[in-house]
Every structure is written in structure tokens, then in C-alpha cells.
Amino acid sequence: MPVSRRLSPELDVLAVQYPGRQDRLHEPCVEDIGTLADRLVPELLPLADRPLALFGHSMGAAVAFETVRRMEERGVAPAILFVSSRPSPSSIRDECLHRSGDRAIIAEMQRLNGTAAGILEDPAFLDMILPALRGDYKAVETYRCRPPHAAVDCSVVALMGDDDPQAPHEECLRWKEHTRGRFDLHVFEGGHFYLNTHAESVMSIIAERIRQ
């Protein structure tokens, strides 16, 4: 909602809601990046008669990248892809947090400082969000870009926090290898959820790049 308020009426803002959370809480989680992209493409194709930009944060950046790839394969060319707090598709890590116990996942969320500490101590809240969190970690940790150095035609804008353990500078910089268009990298002070404190700057970058 804050993004929609900030960018309207110049831009229409649509949110992607994954299964397994909020108003889709009772739907099974999707634990595969490619499947999420496959489901998203039919929802976006009817909007392809106007300039279209995608923004993805963390796991969403990988989903957005794979979605753009699939749309370009269908002859639809999004104008620009914004990827936030996510290493490039060719940056592979051997991680398996999704196989760990609940406490390990909670500890990781605390380390990334993206959720209020008190909420993570609420058993009812944890029961509600842990299946989705585990599914997200499985999707991210098992994702492999095929081919490894696949590239999109549209421009890519990468955004990151300078103290993000999940998305170090050198791995975010490698997004430039995954576009045949223009590439830009914006670095902000902060960690994985830098955009919570730099929302206005992030939205200004989005608006200005789409205008260009």
C-alpha cells in the first residue's frame, strides 16, 4: 500500500501474494521458484499491452527473474527488472536450512532482523508462518538457474544493503551477467531489510527508472 500511494497515479502497483500466507493462508505453499514463475506468467500476460516492470525482494527477485525469462520466451518484453537483496542467479550456495528444526529458522529470521522480536516469541504466530518460511527457504536453497548464466533482454536494477549477510556486494554485482540490457547497482546502508528504512529512496529509483 505505501508503494501504491507513493507511485500513483503515474504507475499502477500490483502485489503478488504467494500461496500459504495472509489471505491465501489455507492454500498449500509452493516450494519451487520455477513453479511460482509458471503460475505468475498467465496472471501478467493480460497486462502486457502496457509498459511492465517487476520488483522482487529476496526470494521474490529470483521469482521475478524467472518470470521475465518466461515472458520474453513468449515474445513479451517487460521494460525493467528490479532485484533486491538477492545474489545473482549464478551465485550458488550449499544451504539446507529448510531441513532444520523450527528454532534454526526462527534464529535466522532474528539474525536478518526483518521481523519484530516479540512476534517471533508468539507460538500462535509461529504456527501460522513457519510452514511458509520453511517453504520459502526450500524454494531458495534448491533453486538453480538453467542454464547457469541465463540472461534477460530487459534492463536490471539491483538494490542491496551494505550489511546484508544474505546478499554480499560481489554476488549482487554479478546480476550484470544476467542481462543483455543496462545494469545498475544501488547500495544502501543496512541489512537484508534495508528497504524498511530507505523506502522513499527505493521508490524514487523505481519511478525514475521507469520514466527513463
Side-chain angles (χ1 to χ4, degrees):
M1 287 303 299
V3 180
S4 182
R5 287 193 209 100
R6 166 66 173 77
L7 299 182
S8 65
E10 183 179 8
L11 300 174
D12 294 322
V13 178
L14 303 177
V16 174
Q17 182 64 277
Y18 299 139
R21 64 212 74 200
Q22 295 185 355
D23 57 318
R24 304 185 68 181
L25 183 63
H26 299 293
E27 298 180 40
C29 296
V30 177
E31 301 176 340
D32 178 74
I33 298 293
T35 301
L36 285 168
D38 289 338
R39 293 190 183 184
L40 186 53
V41 168
E43 305 296 329
L44 293 179
L45 287 178
L47 306 175
D49 61 341
R50 69 206 79 180
L52 181 66
L54 280 76
F55 180 99
H57 176 76
S58 195
M59 181 182 84
V63 175
F65 174 71
E66 290 295 336
T67 300
V68 170
R69 290 183 65 192
R70 285 156 171 76
M71 295 183 75
E72 290 185 345
E73 288 171 358
R74 290 163 173 78
V76 176
I80 190 165
L81 168 64
F82 297 92
V83 291
S84 170
S85 292
R86 176 69 189 167
S88 78
S90 55
S91 300
I92 304 300
R93 297 179 180 182
D94 186 15
E95 297 175 317
C96 55
L97 184 63
H98 68 279
R99 298 177 183 170
S100 303
D102 291 347
R103 296 311 307 178
I105 293 178
I106 295 169
E108 178 66 7
M109 292 301 296
Q110 292 171 330
R111 183 175 78 99
L112 294 178
N113 198 30
T115 307
I119 293 178
L120 293 176
E121 300 300 325
D122 183 337
F125 180 76
L126 289 175
D127 286 344
M128 180 175 65
I129 68 167
L130 276 170
L133 284 175
R134 189 178 298 280
D136 287 354
Y137 276 110
K138 181 177 181 180
V140 168
E141 292 173 349
T142 59
Y143 169 63
R144 297 294 182 270
C145 181
R146 297 287 185 266
H149 293 282
V152 295
D153 292 325
C154 71
S155 298
V156 170
V157 175
L159 307 100
M160 60 167 288
D162 62 3
D163 192 30
D164 184 356
Q166 291 295 97
H169 183 271
E170 62 273 14
E171 294 186 15
C172 292
L173 190 60
R174 289 178 62 187
W175 273 102
K176 66 182 178 182
E177 301 171 8
H178 295 274
T179 176
R180 289 178 284 271
R182 173 179 168 182
F183 173 78
D184 293 283
L185 175 65
H186 297 270
V187 182
F188 297 87
E189 182 179 347
H192 192 66
F193 294 97
Y194 72 89
L195 70 178
N196 289 338
T197 52
H198 297 283
E200 180 61 32
S201 295
V202 170
M203 289 185 284
S204 294
I205 289 171
I206 292 172
E208 180 59 27
R209 283 306 308 274
I210 292 176
R211 289 190 198 105
Q212 293 175 8

